[in-house]
Amino acid sequence: MTLEEKIGQLVMISLGADTIVTGPKAAQEPSVADVKAGRCGSVLNLVGRDRIHALQKVAVEESRLKIPLFFGLDVIHGYETAFPVPIGEVAAFRPDLWEKTARLAALEATDAGLHLTFAPMLDVARDPRWGRIIEGPGEDPHVGRTWARAKVAGFQGPDLAAPTSLAATAKHFVAYGASTAGRDYAAVDISERQLHEVYLPAFEAAVKAGVLAIMPAFVDVAGRPVSGDRGFLTDLVRDTWGFQGIYVSDFDAIAELAAHGVAGDMAEAAALAIHAGLDIDMQSRAYPEGLKAALDRGIARIEDVDAAVRRVLTAKERLGLFDAP
């Protein structure tokens, strides 16, 4: 693979802006040409089986390496069939029900051509001012662990390569729900004991349940921006918990390392994220615009790039995409 093709596998673009909007529009909107040139490895927000299959056909027939894409979407509380929002469903205290609703959502979403959902949200939240409580399991870490196991099992089923398996993404790692004063994106300042007893257990349960993907949070925890922190992403989750999947950034999160004050430009942001172990850059342009420059400047290592590409290709293999794109 060329360096450009390696970086392409680490880039997720949004091609559904006509139907679904996630975050602000980029200055340069991606296109089918990016797929043909191998400049992306995954796509979010594209809906409609015919549209997804047409784009996949471009990837596997017209790109040089013919590597399939995977397609992701926020399937939060059902796809065609709508279920109660997560905080409402959690109130039933029925793990069997939680798994069944995820299974039906997976059947409907995979029938529409999707491979991955950006769910379940596992953020324990105890400040009612935080506006995203609706998407998660509430305030109790035991409920959060149980919710994580049920949703991962329901979405993914017993075999990731099965055509009805929808890969799950545990988000937002970690303590996003503890944002100061309930203000979204605000800093998180909690004790080490709270972190380990309240906010981490649901994510560890998701890893032990075999979740394919994890989405790091936008926030910094005690001054450590999670999307660029190797201690969290690699040392804890990969090396201690044994996570074997991929990290997918939140929308524009890698570029926002500059807003945290830890990166001065796209190259520095890309270098921090790739060293931390963050595999896929969702729509921030940090990897496509900054990763090569980071390598040229000696602030990033090609070994980290290769490891991330290998993890992405392995995830596609586990999803069965090389056999049935």
Side-chain angles (χ1 to χ4, degrees):
M1 299 176 74
T2 67
L3 177 59
E4 288 72 19
E5 288 166 336
K6 290 178 181 179
I7 294 173
Q9 286 301 305
L10 309 182
V11 174
M12 177 180 283
I13 62 174
S14 178
L15 285 176
D18 57 330
T19 54
I20 295 176
V21 177
T22 303
K25 283 195 171 187
Q28 181 180 355
E29 286 299 302
S31 69
V32 175
D34 291 304
V35 176
K36 190 179 297 187
R39 289 192 293 265
C40 74
S42 51
V43 174
L44 77 154
N45 289 348
L46 191 67
V47 294
R49 180 167 48 188
D50 291 344
R51 299 177 73 189
I52 288 173
H53 285 183
L55 192 61
Q56 189 73 292
K57 191 177 176 70
V58 172
V60 300
E61 294 184 1
E62 299 182 40
S63 68
R64 187 180 81 88
L65 295 180
K66 300 175 170 46
I67 297 173
L69 306 164
F70 69 80
F71 295 86
L73 187 72
D74 279 308
V75 181
I76 306 299
H77 57 106
Y79 187 71
E80 295 290 348
T81 305
F83 298 108
V85 293
I87 194 66
E89 191 177 343
V90 162
F93 294 100
R94 286 273 306 278
D96 61 325
L97 176 66
W98 303 341
E99 183 174 340
K100 287 175 183 175
T101 58
R103 182 88 296 264
L104 182 54
L107 293 174
E108 294 178 348
T110 54
D111 186 61
L114 295 167
H115 306 119
L116 177 140
T117 174
F118 304 115
M121 192 182 96
L122 303 178
D123 298 305
V124 170
R126 294 178 168 181
D127 188 332
R129 295 173 294 183
W130 190 54
R132 296 191 68 172
I133 290 175
I134 192 173
E135 298 175 61
E139 64 182 0
D140 185 84
H142 172 68
V143 174
R145 285 195 302 266
T146 309
W147 174 258
R149 288 191 290 263
K151 287 302 180 183
V152 171
F155 283 132
Q156 296 190 171
D159 179 12
L160 266 172
T164 57
S165 175
L166 185 68
T169 305
K171 68 181 189 185
H172 307 82
F173 181 82
V174 59
Y176 186 36
S179 298
T180 300
R183 299 179 67 182
D184 210 26
Y185 287 38
V188 172
D189 191 7
I190 55 177
S191 70
E192 193 77 7
R193 179 176 179 177
Q194 277 186 304
L195 178 67
H196 285 271
E197 291 189 357
V198 177
Y199 296 100
L200 285 171
F203 290 97
E204 184 177 10
V207 169
K208 301 303 183 186
V211 71
L212 183 73
I214 294 175
M215 180 179 290
F218 286 115
V219 296
D220 67 87
V221 178
R224 299 162 59 185
V226 180
S227 294
D229 192 277
R230 186 175 178 87
F232 280 129
L233 303 189
T234 296
D235 297 346
L236 175 62
V237 180
R238 289 199 189 280
D239 295 347
T240 302
W241 292 353
F243 178 52
Q244 298 293 315
I246 54 173
Y247 282 108
V248 181
S249 84
D250 212 333
F251 196 98
D252 200 38
I254 298 179
E256 289 177 6
L257 289 171
H260 282 282
V262 296
D265 57 21
M266 284 288 205
E268 291 184 5
L272 280 171
I274 200 71
H275 178 66
L278 212 170
D279 303 305
I280 293 178
D281 177 2
M282 181 195 286
Q283 194 72 0
S284 87
R285 309 299 300 169
Y287 280 1
E289 294 179 9
L291 203 45
K292 184 177 185 301
L295 291 165
D296 291 341
R297 285 156 55 177
I299 57 175
R301 304 187 315 150
I302 190 63
E303 292 85 358
D304 291 333
V305 175
D306 289 345
V309 174
R310 191 174 295 113
R311 288 190 291 264
V312 171
L313 295 177
T314 299
K316 291 181 177 184
E317 176 68 24
R318 292 175 64 191
L319 286 168
L321 293 178
F322 288 102
D323 295 322

